[in-house]
Amino acid sequence: MKKGLCAIGEALIDFIPEEKGCRLKDVGHFQRVAGGAPANVAGACAKLGGLSRMITQLGADAFGDYIIECLKKAGIDTDYILRTANADTALAFVSLAADGNRDFQFYRRNSADLMLSPNHIKKEMLKECGILHFCSVSLVESPMKHAHETLIRYAHEEQLLVCFDPNLRFSLWNDEAALYQSVHEFMPHADILKISDEELSFITGKTNIEDALDDLLKDQTKLVIYTKGKEGVCAYTKTCKAEAVGLAVECRDTTGAGDSFIGAFLYCLLRDEVLSIDALTQAQLYEYLSFANAYAAYTVTQAGALDAMADAQTFAKFRSELKLSSNFDIK
């Protein structure tokens, strides 16, 4: 693999409940794990054997120390992660319903990651990288939002592919209109857009993905990936469509499932040195969707996010056991 993945945004501590099927206020015990959507995506790519780098800022505190240790253990390059004594590392408390779905309570007002500014961003952060990935959690009005703008501009100048997963977290926004505006402000700058079935209506006003494609496949965007949880995933370019069916696995925790999916998909692009989305064939899309779908399926069988993701050897064994090579048809 000649090029790697660079992710920018939040890295935080997820406090995962030891009790399942109860509201957050009723959870008595939590387990600490390193998380944050961009960090999880970087982790999936790194664990599969890809080059991976994280751009963020952490507090000069014990939680920041722990995150750095976890990212390094996953194989993520942390050389460009900054530390500050003027703000704290962000935290998120999670409750899990009986089906593994989650509710979040974030503690990140004025957190260290939001204080990362454009002045901190250097073009060298993208060296040896082929893809830049980001989400919407760090696009609230803050220095970090403008740091994203700077790094995305550099990515375009260096001809990297840019991937945007809105990964909507409504509880972090005082105004849903501001979230909508921010997502639509950044969408035109992404080559790849990942959107879930739960996000489609809010982002596009449509309830059917194919009705929304004209609004999504425009400007810079050349590939739309539409995830449907256990129902599988579809991908669309302007010339082709591919679909992978969902896998029946015992769901323990959905935290990081979408992140592990897109991290594995981007790993495939980097592994095969795909430089042009327009050149992707239906067969390639299907192969990458199937690979990433299976990787996410493994993740939900484990607890946590970054720690739940499989390394290449573990994932190969998982696929072999499920005989995934014969479980899919191109649609």
Side-chain angles (χ1 to χ4, degrees):
M1 182 179 288
K2 293 182 179 179
K3 297 287 186 179
L5 172 70
C6 179
I8 182 173
E10 75 281 1
L12 47 76
I13 299 290
D14 281 323
F15 285 92
I16 306 296
E18 295 185 2
E19 299 98 333
K20 202 173 183 180
C22 59
R23 298 175 64 184
L24 187 58
K25 71 179 184 64
D26 298 318
V27 178
H29 300 88
F30 295 86
Q31 178 185 359
R32 175 199 62 176
V33 297
N40 292 337
V41 172
C45 182
K47 286 196 167 188
L48 285 166
L51 303 173
S52 193
R53 176 175 298 138
M54 185 66 199
I55 308 298
T56 192
Q57 182 167 244
L58 301 170
D61 51 35
F63 289 131
D65 293 342
Y66 175 71
I67 290 173
I68 291 287
E69 288 179 3
C70 291
L71 297 186
K72 286 182 175 179
K73 181 180 177 182
I76 300 169
D77 178 357
T78 63
D79 287 351
Y80 294 98
I81 294 180
L82 303 182
R83 308 292 296 272
T84 178
N86 297 321
D88 298 324
T89 300
L91 311 176
F93 288 81
V94 186
S95 64
L96 295 177
D99 62 2
N101 286 313
R102 305 147 293 156
D103 287 320
F104 292 90
Q105 177 65 55
F106 289 91
Y107 290 83
R108 67 189 298 268
R109 292 187 181 91
N110 302 315
S111 60
D113 59 301
L114 293 178
M115 299 299 106
L116 187 74
S117 75
N119 292 333
H120 295 128
I121 301 300
K122 310 298 181 187
K123 189 175 286 190
E124 67 183 44
M125 291 175 169
L126 298 174
K127 67 182 180 181
E128 300 178 336
C129 291
I131 298 176
L132 173 65
H133 177 78
F134 69 102
C135 305
S136 74
V137 166
S138 294
L139 300 183
V140 295
E141 192 55 47
S142 65
M144 175 59 110
K145 175 183 177 180
H146 303 297
H148 276 66
E149 294 169 345
T150 300
L151 195 60
I152 291 168
R153 185 176 73 252
Y154 287 157
H156 288 155
E157 291 174 1
E158 296 299 305
Q159 298 184 317
L160 275 68
L161 293 175
V162 176
C163 177
F164 180 28
D165 177 3
N167 194 39
L168 303 178
R169 295 289 179 261
F170 292 98
S171 63
L172 288 174
W173 297 76
N174 295 325
D175 181 1
E176 289 189 3
L179 170 58
Y180 178 90
Q181 179 179 347
S182 192
V183 167
H184 281 265
E185 180 182 345
F186 280 82
M187 278 171 49
H189 305 291
D191 299 279
I192 302 166
L193 176 66
K194 174 191 168 291
I195 186 170
S196 75
D197 52 356
E198 296 175 341
E199 298 168 335
L200 181 65
S201 178
F202 177 82
I203 292 174
T204 70
K206 309 286 177 60
T207 57
N208 184 298
I209 181 60
E210 298 201 359
D211 292 339
L213 288 176
D214 286 343
D215 296 326
L216 298 174
L217 282 172
K218 63 180 184 180
D219 301 312
Q220 183 85 11
T221 306
K222 302 175 182 66
L223 171 63
V224 172
I225 299 172
Y226 182 60
T227 58
K228 302 177 288 183
K230 65 181 181 180
E231 301 301 321
V233 57
C234 302
Y236 303 85
T237 68
K238 293 180 180 179
T239 58
C240 67
K241 168 191 174 182
E243 181 175 357
V245 298
L247 298 174
V249 295
E250 183 176 348
C251 180
R252 184 177 178 186
D253 181 4
T254 59
T255 304
D259 304 330
S260 66
F261 170 88
I262 194 62
F265 186 92
L266 298 178
Y267 163 81
C268 290
L269 293 178
L270 292 164
R271 177 198 63 197
D272 293 349
E273 299 181 18
V274 174
L275 302 177
S276 171
I277 296 298
D278 291 331
L280 282 172
T281 65
Q282 184 188 43
Q284 280 179 298
L285 274 178
Y286 158 72
E287 177 191 347
Y288 299 166
L289 292 179
S290 300
F291 182 95
N293 205 37
Y295 193 76
Y298 175 87
T299 301
V300 302
T301 67
Q302 310 296 310
L306 190 58
D307 285 343
M309 296 176 191
D311 59 24
Q313 182 177 359
T314 301
F315 181 53
K317 182 174 183 292
F318 175 75
R319 295 188 83 197
S320 175
E321 290 172 349
L322 290 183
K323 297 181 173 60
L324 296 181
S325 60
S326 61
N327 281 0
F328 295 99
D329 293 314
I330 297 178
K331 297 183 179 180

